């Protein structure tokens, strides 16, 4: 679950049954060789802020098998993929 705390209440923003959000972030960070220090999620977020992204629908969701192909072909940059995950 993706949960936010606001106005003294927790709110569920989203759920998934297949891949936990943290695991998805970790997988993308590993594929892009993003360091773990201070955390993969923080580093993915910083990379997502760098450049204006291409249309996110082109890259959602960044899947393990698709990611290397998009990078090799030049269709996507690491920044694009991080943005689409965010």
């Amino acid at each position: 679950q993706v949960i936010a705390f606001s106005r003294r209440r927790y709110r569920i923003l989203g759920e998934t049954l297949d891949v936990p959000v943290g695991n998805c972030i970790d997988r993308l960070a590993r594929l892009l060789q993003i360091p773990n220090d201070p955390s993969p999620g923080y580093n993915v977020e910083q990379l997502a802020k760098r450049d204006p992204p291409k249309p996110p629908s082109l890259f959602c969701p960044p899947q393990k098998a698709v990611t290397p192909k998009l990078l090799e072909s030049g269709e996507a940059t690491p920044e694009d993929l991080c943005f689409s995950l965010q």
Side-chain angles (χ1 to χ4, degrees):
Q1 292 181 333
V2 177
I3 300 172
F5 185 76
S6 175
R7 298 182 182 159
R8 298 175 30 174
R9 296 182 65 183
Y10 287 97
R11 303 189 190 283
I12 297 173
L13 303 177
E15 303 181 276
T16 180
L17 297 175
D18 53 355
V19 178
V21 174
N23 192 16
C24 187
I25 292 170
D26 290 346
R27 285 182 184 185
L28 181 64
R30 256 184 258 119
L31 281 169
L32 298 178
Q33 299 178 345
I34 296 172
N36 286 334
D37 186 27
S39 74
Y42 175 81
N43 293 331
V44 166
E45 183 177 345
Q46 297 311 305
L47 199 55
K49 293 178 184 179
R50 282 193 187 167
D51 289 327
K54 295 176 181 153
S57 60
L58 182 61
F59 307 114
C60 290
Q63 298 173 9
K64 188 173 183 176
V66 176
T67 299
K69 293 176 187 174
L70 290 171
L71 292 170
E72 288 171 11
S73 70
E75 291 181 66
T77 65
E79 293 83 1
D80 294 329
L81 295 170
C82 290
F83 180 83
S84 70
L85 182 62
Q86 291 285 308

